[in-house]
Amino acid sequence: MQPTPRVDAQAVVSPSTTTPLFDEAREPFTIVIFGATGDLTARKLLPALFNLMVEGALPDRFSIVGFARRPWSDEDFRKDAQQAVSQFSRLAPIDPANWERFAARLSYQQGTFEDPAGYAALRDRLARLDQTDGTGHNRIYYLSVSPEESPAIVQQLGACGLAKEDPGRAWTRVILEKPFGHDLASARALNQLVNSVFSEDQIYRIDHYLGKETVQNILALRLANGIFEPVWNRRYIDYVQITVAETLGVEHRGGYYEKAGALRDIVQNHMLQLLSLVAMEPPITFDAAAVHNEKVKVLQGTMLDHDGPLERSVIRAQYGPGQVDDKSAPGYRQEEGVAPNSTTETYAALRLHIDTWRWSGVPFFLRTGKRLAKQVTEIAIQFKSPPLMLFHQAGEHRVEPNMLILRIQPDEGIGLHFSAKLPGGRMRISPVVMDFNYRTAFAVASPEAYERLLFDCMTGDTTLFARRDEVEVSWALLQPILDAWAQA
């Protein structure tokens, strides 16, 4: 079989693409990172904050305070941060002058997440930073911790008065990492707890997928191009596939994965967020409330195929032992921290329907798994096949349907599959691909997802974060699956 020809779609680089990646976050602030000695802080948060500073996105007055159990000094935290930024920043190798400017903003507060004394010391430190660094009493609390530790931190912040805002003068915001609960009941309980301390407009439930350029581009592709939105419905689209495939196993996260599984770890958050962006109605405006309202409507209308048993709509599986790069690889049940009789899924596939006028009758296939053949996250939108009567006379009995593929990782871009005539005297049809690649098309580098999301929190934009009802509706959709699997 001949490979499908590809045609690169090059961007026309206008002056707008050479402007800075971000406007400046003009209000001063202090961000407190709980779990400051953890992997997420090292790999994502500190490099993202450093990059934002270098890009000119941070105000002149800002502070970063690490909070964790280790008995570190400020200098210990700075040394660890320098190693992390040097290794993981997209701007590496880092300029020494930029590092010194960043390091001067770093400090560390030792404390346990349950001990009120640590929060009292933190409160005093923040008050001093307001005086010395001019951070204006504006606060961001980033909970870079395991889900079990978040409630204690939220309660302690409330108890010591650190959650309060001074309306009109200063703001306070809290960023929560997924997962937001492990089922519908726990998600509701967590939301109730967090909302008892913080108001909803203070809460930023982060899903890093929403910070990726291709994810943000879904609405731009649909709504800024007159050729797509008219056909973005059941009359022209045959089905939609959303895939999150990984080549790695659970590695050293077997203990965590036993509690989560693919449905909780990927489907409930990442994949349903992608589905809602593909299927939502155009919002009235691009403000946070309008976008969230449309996403919630889609999730409320999404359902499993109820025409048959659950097994017809949902599949779960585990990877077994095998070969990876000519080396033996353990199966899931042989991984460290995994029970030998575990039924936790490392692969899940769902067939969903959206009961709306736009999508009635169009199946949405979601699939995710570990130890698969290829690492890829993409959305494939397959259009209905065209009539073939005209081409039958020329001997063509099959023409590939058009497909639009949105690649989210690892190679962000968009591919449009369509048919064209092969050179020659006969009418022979062949599939071709028009390919757009973010990395090569624009004259600027894409920011990391955490850069965009941290910047949005600094500026008070919740559009790319999950709202309370989004979280609960997505859990409600999956709860029947969780219940059935628990009883199996």
Side-chain angles (χ1 to χ4, degrees):
M1 179 181 294
Q2 293 293 324
T4 301
R6 307 185 73 85
V7 180
D8 289 335
Q10 297 296 329
V12 178
V13 181
S14 64
S16 62
T17 61
T18 61
T19 56
L21 294 176
F22 301 98
D23 295 327
E24 181 184 352
R26 300 189 183 281
E27 294 187 86
F29 68 93
T30 297
I31 181 170
V32 181
I33 302 175
F34 291 91
T37 59
D39 189 61
L40 177 63
T41 302
R43 288 178 173 270
K44 298 297 183 181
L45 303 184
L46 289 173
L49 289 166
F50 175 81
N51 295 346
L52 287 170
M53 184 201 72
V54 174
E55 295 283 359
L58 300 189
D60 292 334
R61 294 172 292 160
F62 74 93
S63 294
I64 301 169
V65 179
F67 188 105
R69 296 183 178 90
R70 294 183 189 177
W72 280 3
S73 65
D74 291 351
E75 192 56 35
D76 291 331
F77 183 45
R78 289 171 184 145
K79 288 180 180 178
D80 190 73
Q82 184 176 20
Q83 181 178 355
V85 171
S86 298
Q87 183 175 359
F88 298 113
S89 169
R90 64 178 172 83
L91 303 179
I94 61 176
D95 178 80
N98 283 332
W99 171 252
E100 291 302 320
R101 187 158 58 101
F102 187 72
R105 304 293 183 174
L106 298 174
S107 61
Y108 182 82
Q109 177 64 54
Q110 190 273 333
T112 65
F113 299 144
E114 303 81 12
D115 184 8
Y119 294 85
L122 175 64
R123 183 179 57 209
D124 294 341
R125 181 183 289 268
L126 293 177
R128 291 195 302 271
L129 289 171
D130 286 332
Q131 296 298 319
T132 59
D133 291 7
T135 47
H137 303 279
N138 294 321
R139 313 271 193 259
I140 297 174
Y141 303 116
Y142 198 118
L143 276 55
S144 178
V145 298
S146 64
E148 296 81 9
E149 294 169 314
S150 294
I153 297 173
V154 170
Q155 288 173 322
Q156 292 292 345
L157 288 171
C160 72
L162 286 173
K164 294 180 180 178
E165 287 190 307
D166 187 359
R169 296 184 57 191
W171 45 260
T172 300
R173 296 161 187 159
V174 60
I175 302 178
L176 300 172
E177 275 282 345
K178 70 141 186 114
F180 315 113
H182 62 273
D183 58 14
L184 178 58
S186 62
R188 285 174 173 166
L190 178 60
N191 279 331
Q192 185 173 0
L193 170 64
V194 178
N195 281 111
S196 71
V197 177
F198 296 94
S199 61
E200 183 62 29
D201 61 0
Q202 291 179 279
I203 302 168
Y204 291 67
R205 300 172 186 84
I206 194 169
D207 183 339
H208 72 274
Y209 264 47
L210 294 181
K212 293 180 179 294
E213 285 293 335
T214 307
V215 174
Q216 297 174 50
N217 204 43
I218 292 172
L219 293 184
L221 179 77
R222 287 179 53 185
L223 306 179
N225 297 284
I227 62 173
F228 290 121
E229 183 58 24
V231 298
W232 208 265
N233 56 60
R234 59 186 172 83
R235 292 184 61 191
Y236 299 97
I237 291 178
D238 196 5
Y239 60 84
V240 177
Q241 295 185 73
I242 303 176
T243 302
V244 179
E246 300 178 74
T247 56
L248 296 176
V250 296
E251 304 305 300
H252 303 294
R253 300 171 66 238
Y256 162 77
Y257 211 80
E258 275 289 85
K259 301 175 183 177
L263 199 72
R264 290 183 170 98
D265 190 44
I266 301 294
V267 176
Q268 182 272 329
N269 39 76
H270 299 333
M271 300 192 80
L272 289 183
Q273 286 289 339
L274 296 179
L275 178 146
S276 65
L277 288 170
V278 170
M280 64 183 275
E281 293 298 318
I284 296 174
T285 63
F286 273 114
D287 64 45
V291 172
H292 289 308
N293 290 343
E294 297 303 335
K295 290 169 68 178
V296 168
K297 290 178 186 177
V298 166
L299 293 172
Q300 288 173 332
T302 303
M303 60 190 66
L304 295 169
D305 187 348
H306 292 300
D307 292 337
L310 183 68
E311 292 77 12
R312 291 185 57 183
S313 298
V314 183
I315 297 173
R316 61 172 172 166
Q318 289 177 347
Y319 64 84
Q323 298 286 318
V324 177
D325 296 330
D326 298 324
K327 295 180 181 179
S328 296
Y332 176 69
R333 293 182 178 181
Q334 290 77 50
E335 298 278 14
E336 180 182 352
V338 175
N341 60 345
S342 171
T343 59
T344 300
E345 75 287 355
T346 65
Y347 176 90
L350 288 72
R351 177 187 174 116
L352 301 175
H353 293 275
I354 302 176
D355 191 17
T356 64
W357 184 266
R358 181 184 291 263
W359 295 111
S360 179
V362 178
F364 282 69
F365 299 100
L366 279 58
R367 56 186 176 183
T368 182
K370 293 185 176 295
R371 284 272 186 250
L372 298 180
K374 182 180 179 182
Q375 179 187 0
V376 64
T377 299
E378 67 178 27
I379 302 167
I381 298 158
Q382 176 137 331
F383 293 88
K384 293 182 178 180
S385 297
L388 297 178
M389 291 79 74
L390 177 66
F391 300 105
H392 285 166
Q393 301 173 10
E396 289 284 353
H397 297 283
R398 175 172 175 79
V399 175
E400 295 291 332
N402 301 128
M403 182 177 290
L404 183 68
I405 297 182
L406 312 178
R407 299 188 307 273
I408 296 165
Q409 64 180 18
D411 188 23
E412 290 187 288
I414 301 170
L416 178 61
H417 295 235
F418 60 98
S419 297
K421 177 185 174 298
L422 286 169
R426 293 177 52 201
M427 177 57 75
R428 294 183 300 164
I429 305 297
S430 176
V432 296
V433 179
M434 182 175 291
D435 193 66
F436 163 74
N437 187 292
Y438 272 99
R439 181 172 49 83
T440 59
F442 290 112
V444 293
S446 296
E448 296 289 338
Y450 278 93
E451 295 175 41
R452 172 62 191 269
L453 296 171
L454 284 167
F455 178 81
D456 283 357
C457 182
M458 295 168 197
T459 56
D461 186 351
T462 62
T463 305
L464 299 181
F465 295 82
R467 201 168 65 183
R468 174 176 181 165
D469 50 354
E470 283 180 62
V471 173
E472 295 182 7
V473 170
S474 64
W475 277 118
L477 170 62
L478 300 182
Q479 192 62 49
I481 303 173
L482 296 173
D483 292 341
W485 287 353
Q487 297 170 7

